[in-house]
Amino acid sequence: MELYLDSANLQEIEKAFELGFLTGLTTTPTFMHKEGIEDVDSLILKLADIVPILQIEALGETAEEIYVEVKRQLDMGLDINKTVFKIPVSLEGVKACKMLRNKGMMVNVHLVYTLQQAYMAMEAGATYVCPLVGRLQDQGHDALDLVQQCVDAVNFYGYDTKIMFSSVRNAEHVRNGLNIGVHTITVP
């Protein structure tokens, strides 16, 4: 199973990766702004030198806009083999996922709230499908059941997709993810 740190705090990230067992880092501009970082691109490039795999957001209203943003990020100097582009689930998002996967890029379709959304992402070839467990539970949903259904779909249908247990709120969530058999967990 893969373990990703979910952070934008440079000192925390450097210390965590000294442990030697983390798969990678996932972060967002929102987290970066909370840390007082204004030059997001500079931090992304610095993080890419520190971590084995970096997951970053690639946003846009259309699949084409998302593709342009990914191209811009790669042109900054990111390594296609060490970068996962996080795209929110939507019809345009899964279309962009398919476009990027066809070009050999890794994609995390995130903000997944239903099995149907997860299915579309898996069919589009998503490297990762990311249900937000903590957020779903905050809204009163049975997030663990959704994650289990996603893991079952990958295992039953043989998708080449990893289910990423995210929006972890506590240590119990990590145990839940392990018991469900997720492929990846992100932890703060």
Side-chain angles (χ1 to χ4, degrees), residues 122-155:
M122 290 179 222
E123 278 294 311
T127 313
Y128 297 92
V129 168
C130 193
L132 298 177
V133 175
R135 283 196 204 172
L136 284 164
Q137 287 181 336
D138 292 347
Q139 297 169 6
H141 298 281
D142 187 349
L144 299 180
D145 185 54
L146 171 61
V147 174
Q148 182 68 67
Q149 290 174 25
C150 292
V151 168
D152 290 347
V154 166
N155 294 339

mmCIF file of all heavy atoms in Angstrom, residues 122-155:
data_model
loop_
_atom_site.group_PDB
_atom_site.id
_atom_site.type_symbol
_atom_site.label_atom_id
_atom_site.label_comp_id
_atom_site.label_asym_id
_atom_site.label_seq_id
_atom_site.Cartn_x
_atom_site.Cartn_y
_atom_site.Cartn_z
ATOM 1 N N MET A 122 -12.533 5.517 -13.310
ATOM 2 C CA MET A 122 -11.845 4.259 -13.598
ATOM 3 C C MET A 122 -11.892 3.957 -15.096
ATOM 4 O O MET A 122 -10.882 3.554 -15.686
ATOM 5 C CB MET A 122 -12.484 3.118 -12.817
ATOM 6 C CG MET A 122 -12.240 3.166 -11.331
ATOM 7 S SD MET A 122 -13.071 1.771 -10.506
ATOM 8 C CE MET A 122 -13.739 2.583 -9.067
ATOM 9 N N GLU A 123 -13.047 4.157 -15.706
ATOM 10 C CA GLU A 123 -13.197 3.917 -17.144
ATOM 11 C C GLU A 123 -12.319 4.856 -17.961
ATOM 12 O O GLU A 123 -11.852 4.495 -19.035
ATOM 13 C CB GLU A 123 -14.655 4.063 -17.575
ATOM 14 C CG GLU A 123 -15.501 2.844 -17.316
ATOM 15 C CD GLU A 123 -15.070 1.650 -18.164
ATOM 16 O OE1 GLU A 123 -14.892 1.778 -19.382
ATOM 17 O OE2 GLU A 123 -14.910 0.554 -17.585
ATOM 18 N N ALA A 124 -12.099 6.070 -17.441
ATOM 19 C CA ALA A 124 -11.246 7.038 -18.136
ATOM 20 C C ALA A 124 -9.762 6.736 -17.920
ATOM 21 O O ALA A 124 -8.907 7.397 -18.490
ATOM 22 C CB ALA A 124 -11.570 8.451 -17.672
ATOM 23 N N GLY A 125 -9.469 5.737 -17.072
ATOM 24 C CA GLY A 125 -8.088 5.315 -16.869
ATOM 25 C C GLY A 125 -7.365 5.985 -15.718
ATOM 26 O O GLY A 125 -6.137 5.950 -15.663
ATOM 27 N N ALA A 126 -8.103 6.600 -14.790
ATOM 28 C CA ALA A 126 -7.473 7.300 -13.671
ATOM 29 C C ALA A 126 -6.450 6.416 -12.966
ATOM 30 O O ALA A 126 -6.702 5.244 -12.707
ATOM 31 C CB ALA A 126 -8.520 7.766 -12.668
ATOM 32 N N THR A 127 -5.306 7.000 -12.678
ATOM 33 C CA THR A 127 -4.285 6.300 -11.907
ATOM 34 C C THR A 127 -4.767 6.129 -10.473
ATOM 35 O O THR A 127 -4.576 5.077 -9.869
ATOM 36 C CB THR A 127 -2.967 7.112 -11.909
ATOM 37 O OG1 THR A 127 -2.671 7.525 -13.241
ATOM 38 C CG2 THR A 127 -1.824 6.303 -11.340
ATOM 39 N N TYR A 128 -5.402 7.178 -9.954
ATOM 40 C CA TYR A 128 -5.970 7.180 -8.606
ATOM 41 C C TYR A 128 -7.394 7.701 -8.674
ATOM 42 O O TYR A 128 -7.692 8.618 -9.445
ATOM 43 C CB TYR A 128 -5.184 8.112 -7.666
ATOM 44 C CG TYR A 128 -3.758 7.713 -7.441
ATOM 45 C CD1 TYR A 128 -2.738 8.222 -8.237
ATOM 46 C CD2 TYR A 128 -3.406 6.838 -6.411
ATOM 47 C CE1 TYR A 128 -1.412 7.871 -8.038
ATOM 48 C CE2 TYR A 128 -2.085 6.477 -6.207
ATOM 49 C CZ TYR A 128 -1.093 6.998 -7.022
ATOM 50 O OH TYR A 128 0.202 6.640 -6.803
ATOM 51 N N VAL A 129 -8.259 7.131 -7.845
ATOM 52 C CA VAL A 129 -9.601 7.658 -7.609
ATOM 53 C C VAL A 129 -9.672 7.959 -6.127
ATOM 54 O O VAL A 129 -9.320 7.122 -5.296
ATOM 55 C CB VAL A 129 -10.688 6.649 -8.037
ATOM 56 C CG1 VAL A 129 -12.052 7.077 -7.517
ATOM 57 C CG2 VAL A 129 -10.715 6.510 -9.547
ATOM 58 N N CYS A 130 -10.118 9.160 -5.812
ATOM 59 C CA CYS A 130 -9.935 9.689 -4.476
ATOM 60 C C CYS A 130 -11.256 10.119 -3.812
ATOM 61 O O CYS A 130 -11.653 11.285 -3.910
ATOM 62 C CB CYS A 130 -8.977 10.871 -4.599
ATOM 63 S SG CYS A 130 -8.314 11.470 -3.083
ATOM 64 N N PRO A 131 -11.936 9.190 -3.126
ATOM 65 C CA PRO A 131 -13.091 9.599 -2.315
ATOM 66 C C PRO A 131 -12.610 10.370 -1.087
ATOM 67 O O PRO A 131 -11.596 10.019 -0.489
ATOM 68 C CB PRO A 131 -13.728 8.274 -1.889
ATOM 69 C CG PRO A 131 -13.090 7.208 -2.704
ATOM 70 C CD PRO A 131 -11.759 7.745 -3.131
ATOM 71 N N LEU A 132 -13.335 11.408 -0.729
ATOM 72 C CA LEU A 132 -12.965 12.244 0.414
ATOM 73 C C LEU A 132 -13.707 11.764 1.655
ATOM 74 O O LEU A 132 -14.801 12.235 1.963
ATOM 75 C CB LEU A 132 -13.278 13.710 0.124
ATOM 76 C CG LEU A 132 -12.520 14.302 -1.055
ATOM 77 C CD1 LEU A 132 -12.955 15.732 -1.309
ATOM 78 C CD2 LEU A 132 -11.027 14.244 -0.827
ATOM 79 N N VAL A 133 -13.114 10.832 2.356
ATOM 80 C CA VAL A 133 -13.772 10.166 3.476
ATOM 81 C C VAL A 133 -14.220 11.146 4.554
ATOM 82 O O VAL A 133 -15.383 11.149 4.958
ATOM 83 C CB VAL A 133 -12.856 9.071 4.066
ATOM 84 C CG1 VAL A 133 -13.475 8.460 5.304
ATOM 85 C CG2 VAL A 133 -12.565 8.012 3.013
ATOM 86 N N GLY A 134 -13.307 11.968 5.036
ATOM 87 C CA GLY A 134 -13.653 12.901 6.109
ATOM 88 C C GLY A 134 -14.779 13.843 5.728
ATOM 89 O O GLY A 134 -15.721 14.042 6.491
ATOM 90 N N ARG A 135 -14.691 14.405 4.539
ATOM 91 C CA ARG A 135 -15.753 15.327 4.097
ATOM 92 C C ARG A 135 -17.090 14.620 3.977
ATOM 93 O O ARG A 135 -18.123 15.166 4.347
ATOM 94 C CB ARG A 135 -15.390 15.956 2.750
ATOM 95 C CG ARG A 135 -14.384 17.050 2.850
ATOM 96 C CD ARG A 135 -14.377 17.862 1.578
ATOM 97 N NE ARG A 135 -13.109 18.533 1.412
ATOM 98 C CZ ARG A 135 -12.766 19.188 0.324
ATOM 99 N NH1 ARG A 135 -13.584 19.247 -0.703
ATOM 100 N NH2 ARG A 135 -11.601 19.797 0.247
ATOM 101 N N LEU A 136 -17.073 13.403 3.413
ATOM 102 C CA LEU A 136 -18.320 12.653 3.277
ATOM 103 C C LEU A 136 -18.922 12.353 4.647
ATOM 104 O O LEU A 136 -20.130 12.495 4.845
ATOM 105 C CB LEU A 136 -18.078 11.357 2.496
ATOM 106 C CG LEU A 136 -17.917 11.533 0.993
ATOM 107 C CD1 LEU A 136 -17.312 10.288 0.376
ATOM 108 C CD2 LEU A 136 -19.255 11.847 0.358
ATOM 109 N N GLN A 137 -18.090 11.929 5.584
ATOM 110 C CA GLN A 137 -18.590 11.653 6.926
ATOM 111 C C GLN A 137 -19.101 12.920 7.589
ATOM 112 O O GLN A 137 -20.113 12.885 8.285
ATOM 113 C CB GLN A 137 -17.512 10.985 7.772
ATOM 114 C CG GLN A 137 -17.274 9.545 7.377
ATOM 115 C CD GLN A 137 -16.224 8.848 8.221
ATOM 116 O OE1 GLN A 137 -15.359 9.488 8.811
ATOM 117 N NE2 GLN A 137 -16.302 7.532 8.273
ATOM 118 N N ASP A 138 -18.427 14.048 7.367
ATOM 119 C CA ASP A 138 -18.882 15.322 7.919
ATOM 120 C C ASP A 138 -20.297 15.649 7.443
ATOM 121 O O ASP A 138 -21.061 16.307 8.150
ATOM 122 C CB ASP A 138 -17.950 16.476 7.511
ATOM 123 C CG ASP A 138 -16.570 16.390 8.145
ATOM 124 O OD1 ASP A 138 -16.381 15.592 9.093
ATOM 125 O OD2 ASP A 138 -15.669 17.120 7.674
ATOM 126 N N GLN A 139 -20.635 15.191 6.241
ATOM 127 C CA GLN A 139 -21.953 15.454 5.653
ATOM 128 C C GLN A 139 -22.960 14.345 5.961
ATOM 129 O O GLN A 139 -24.072 14.357 5.447
ATOM 130 C CB GLN A 139 -21.821 15.631 4.145
ATOM 131 C CG GLN A 139 -20.975 16.822 3.754
ATOM 132 C CD GLN A 139 -20.630 16.842 2.275
ATOM 133 O OE1 GLN A 139 -21.111 16.027 1.490
ATOM 134 N NE2 GLN A 139 -19.778 17.770 1.881
ATOM 135 N N GLY A 140 -22.555 13.366 6.782
ATOM 136 C CA GLY A 140 -23.475 12.313 7.201
ATOM 137 C C GLY A 140 -23.551 11.109 6.288
ATOM 138 O O GLY A 140 -24.447 10.279 6.423
ATOM 139 N N HIS A 141 -22.613 10.974 5.351
ATOM 140 C CA HIS A 141 -22.631 9.845 4.414
ATOM 141 C C HIS A 141 -21.806 8.675 4.955
ATOM 142 O O HIS A 141 -20.905 8.857 5.764
ATOM 143 C CB HIS A 141 -22.061 10.270 3.058
ATOM 144 C CG HIS A 141 -22.851 11.337 2.389
ATOM 145 N ND1 HIS A 141 -24.017 11.091 1.708
ATOM 146 C CD2 HIS A 141 -22.638 12.679 2.312
ATOM 147 C CE1 HIS A 141 -24.500 12.223 1.238
ATOM 148 N NE2 HIS A 141 -23.686 13.203 1.593
ATOM 149 N N ASP A 142 -22.101 7.482 4.456
ATOM 150 C CA ASP A 142 -21.335 6.292 4.817
ATOM 151 C C ASP A 142 -20.126 6.201 3.884
ATOM 152 O O ASP A 142 -20.124 5.460 2.902
ATOM 153 C CB ASP A 142 -22.202 5.040 4.713
ATOM 154 C CG ASP A 142 -21.506 3.796 5.243
ATOM 155 O OD1 ASP A 142 -20.281 3.855 5.507
ATOM 156 O OD2 ASP A 142 -22.184 2.767 5.391
ATOM 157 N N ALA A 143 -19.114 6.975 4.198
ATOM 158 C CA ALA A 143 -17.928 7.073 3.349
ATOM 159 C C ALA A 143 -17.173 5.757 3.276
ATOM 160 O O ALA A 143 -16.610 5.416 2.236
ATOM 161 C CB ALA A 143 -17.017 8.180 3.858
ATOM 162 N N LEU A 144 -17.130 5.029 4.369
ATOM 163 C CA LEU A 144 -16.388 3.764 4.367
ATOM 164 C C LEU A 144 -17.020 2.768 3.405
ATOM 165 O O LEU A 144 -16.315 2.017 2.723
ATOM 166 C CB LEU A 144 -16.305 3.190 5.778
ATOM 167 C CG LEU A 144 -15.585 4.073 6.800
ATOM 168 C CD1 LEU A 144 -15.565 3.393 8.160
ATOM 169 C CD2 LEU A 144 -14.187 4.430 6.340
ATOM 170 N N ASP A 145 -18.342 2.769 3.322
ATOM 171 C CA ASP A 145 -19.017 1.882 2.380
ATOM 172 C C ASP A 145 -18.673 2.277 0.942
ATOM 173 O O ASP A 145 -18.422 1.411 0.097
ATOM 174 C CB ASP A 145 -20.530 1.920 2.592
ATOM 175 C CG ASP A 145 -21.252 0.917 1.718
ATOM 176 O OD1 ASP A 145 -20.902 -0.285 1.761
ATOM 177 O OD2 ASP A 145 -22.155 1.332 0.962
ATOM 178 N N LEU A 146 -18.628 3.570 0.662
ATOM 179 C CA LEU A 146 -18.253 4.021 -0.682
ATOM 180 C C LEU A 146 -16.840 3.570 -1.028
ATOM 181 O O LEU A 146 -16.596 3.058 -2.127
ATOM 182 C CB LEU A 146 -18.356 5.542 -0.797
ATOM 183 C CG LEU A 146 -17.778 6.138 -2.093
ATOM 184 C CD1 LEU A 146 -18.510 5.610 -3.314
ATOM 185 C CD2 LEU A 146 -17.806 7.656 -2.039
ATOM 186 N N VAL A 147 -15.912 3.748 -0.110
ATOM 187 C CA VAL A 147 -14.535 3.337 -0.371
ATOM 188 C C VAL A 147 -14.476 1.833 -0.611
ATOM 189 O O VAL A 147 -13.802 1.370 -1.541
ATOM 190 C CB VAL A 147 -13.598 3.765 0.777
ATOM 191 C CG1 VAL A 147 -12.201 3.201 0.578
ATOM 192 C CG2 VAL A 147 -13.544 5.284 0.882
ATOM 193 N N GLN A 148 -15.201 1.066 0.193
ATOM 194 C CA GLN A 148 -15.226 -0.388 0.012
ATOM 195 C C GLN A 148 -15.773 -0.748 -1.366
ATOM 196 O O GLN A 148 -15.228 -1.621 -2.056
ATOM 197 C CB GLN A 148 -16.076 -1.047 1.101
ATOM 198 C CG GLN A 148 -16.108 -2.573 1.001
ATOM 199 C CD GLN A 148 -14.761 -3.185 1.314
ATOM 200 O OE1 GLN A 148 -14.309 -3.109 2.445
ATOM 201 N NE2 GLN A 148 -14.111 -3.799 0.333
ATOM 202 N N GLN A 149 -16.832 -0.076 -1.798
ATOM 203 C CA GLN A 149 -17.406 -0.334 -3.123
ATOM 204 C C GLN A 149 -16.391 -0.021 -4.226
ATOM 205 O O GLN A 149 -16.287 -0.755 -5.219
ATOM 206 C CB GLN A 149 -18.667 0.498 -3.329
ATOM 207 C CG GLN A 149 -19.840 0.062 -2.486
ATOM 208 C CD GLN A 149 -21.013 1.020 -2.620
ATOM 209 O OE1 GLN A 149 -21.153 1.718 -3.614
ATOM 210 N NE2 GLN A 149 -21.863 1.048 -1.601
ATOM 211 N N CYS A 150 -15.641 1.058 -4.049
ATOM 212 C CA CYS A 150 -14.622 1.428 -5.047
ATOM 213 C C CYS A 150 -13.511 0.374 -5.109
ATOM 214 O O CYS A 150 -13.099 -0.040 -6.199
ATOM 215 C CB CYS A 150 -14.035 2.794 -4.725
ATOM 216 S SG CYS A 150 -15.184 4.179 -4.932
ATOM 217 N N VAL A 151 -13.039 -0.062 -3.946
ATOM 218 C CA VAL A 151 -12.002 -1.105 -3.896
ATOM 219 C C VAL A 151 -12.532 -2.383 -4.542
ATOM 220 O O VAL A 151 -11.840 -3.024 -5.345
ATOM 221 C CB VAL A 151 -11.548 -1.363 -2.440
ATOM 222 C CG1 VAL A 151 -10.690 -2.629 -2.347
ATOM 223 C CG2 VAL A 151 -10.787 -0.160 -1.895
ATOM 224 N N ASP A 152 -13.769 -2.742 -4.219
ATOM 225 C CA ASP A 152 -14.376 -3.946 -4.802
ATOM 226 C C ASP A 152 -14.462 -3.845 -6.326
ATOM 227 O O ASP A 152 -14.202 -4.817 -7.036
ATOM 228 C CB ASP A 152 -15.763 -4.201 -4.213
ATOM 229 C CG ASP A 152 -15.726 -4.632 -2.754
ATOM 230 O OD1 ASP A 152 -14.634 -4.986 -2.238
ATOM 231 O OD2 ASP A 152 -16.807 -4.604 -2.107
ATOM 232 N N ALA A 153 -14.828 -2.669 -6.837
ATOM 233 C CA ALA A 153 -14.939 -2.484 -8.292
ATOM 234 C C ALA A 153 -13.575 -2.661 -8.960
ATOM 235 O O ALA A 153 -13.473 -3.325 -9.998
ATOM 236 C CB ALA A 153 -15.522 -1.109 -8.612
ATOM 237 N N VAL A 154 -12.532 -2.077 -8.370
ATOM 238 C CA VAL A 154 -11.179 -2.235 -8.922
ATOM 239 C C VAL A 154 -10.797 -3.707 -8.937
ATOM 240 O O VAL A 154 -10.316 -4.235 -9.946
ATOM 241 C CB VAL A 154 -10.149 -1.406 -8.124
ATOM 242 C CG1 VAL A 154 -8.726 -1.817 -8.471
ATOM 243 C CG2 VAL A 154 -10.344 0.079 -8.377
ATOM 244 N N ASN A 155 -11.025 -4.379 -7.820
ATOM 245 C CA ASN A 155 -10.635 -5.785 -7.705
ATOM 246 C C ASN A 155 -11.472 -6.688 -8.604
ATOM 247 O O ASN A 155 -10.942 -7.609 -9.226
ATOM 248 C CB ASN A 155 -10.728 -6.243 -6.250
ATOM 249 C CG ASN A 155 -9.719 -5.542 -5.361
ATOM 250 O OD1 ASN A 155 -8.718 -5.010 -5.837
ATOM 251 N ND2 ASN A 155 -9.999 -5.517 -4.078
#
